[in-house]
Amino acid sequence: MKIKVDYLVCEANAVCMGLAPEVFDVDDDDQLHVLLPEPPPEMHDRVRHAVRSCPKAALSLEE
């Protein structure tokens, strides 16, 4: 699994960070950072939920 971000669409709402803070981070400048671009298998369900929950659909997965 690899996380993809469309930074032109992302509004840094931090929904993903709230659901998987060890994978996503939004800094003080409202920039999203993917801390684990290829998360381990035990995090896949939470990451899928975070990706589906993005209000702007800026996140996607390459499985």
Side-chain angles (χ1 to χ4, degrees):
M1 167 185 287
K2 186 170 183 172
I3 300 167
K4 303 282 187 179
V5 181
D6 183 342
Y7 288 100
L8 296 176
V9 176
C10 178
E11 291 183 342
N13 292 307
V15 172
C16 56
M17 186 176 80
L19 295 170
E22 52 282 283
V23 178
F24 302 99
D25 182 57
V26 175
D27 67 20
D28 293 337
D29 295 323
D30 287 335
Q31 278 293 121
L32 174 66
H33 301 278
V34 180
L35 305 175
L36 294 172
E38 296 184 35
E42 62 270 13
M43 294 182 158
H44 286 188
D45 287 341
R46 286 183 44 209
V47 170
R48 282 187 191 99
H49 180 61
V51 168
R52 284 191 310 265
S53 298
C54 178
K56 298 303 287 182
L59 300 172
S60 61
L61 296 173
E62 183 179 291
E63 303 248 9

